[in-house]
Amino acid sequence: PAQGRLTSPYDLDTRWAAKGDDLFWNGYKVHISEACDAAPSTQPGRAGGDLPHIVTNIMTTDAAVPDAVVVNQVHEVLDGRGLA
């Protein structure tokens, strides 16, 4: 399995990962959560959503860890910060 294979003699924690047919890398995966609240626009003729998306959590894992595996862990961290 990918979790057991060494891919770099310099960093023993890096792993190969892929998404789709043309995106692959050796290293880590960063899971970023951000605020996505849309605010009503104060300018005539502009749609809502003018607020910036603020990063609320960052989690780094081995590249071979599927995104779905960390969802519950990320939700627990966000809930603990009152950001659920």
Side-chain angles (χ1 to χ4, degrees), residues 14 22 29 31 38 44 60 68 78:
T14 63
D22 58 350
K29 188 182 288 183
H31 309 270
T60 304
L78 291 172

Side-chain angles (χ1 to χ4, degrees), residues 50-68:
D50 294 331
L51 288 178
H53 290 209
I54 307 298
V55 173
T56 57
N57 190 61
I58 298 175
M59 180 180 291
T60 304
T61 63
D62 291 342
V65 175
D67 297 332

Side-chain angles (χ1 to χ4, degrees), residues 1-20:
Q3 291 88 345
R5 279 188 235 141
L6 296 178
T7 59
S8 168
Y10 305 105
D11 188 346
L12 302 180
D13 293 325
T14 63
R15 299 293 183 264
W16 281 104
K19 285 197 174 227

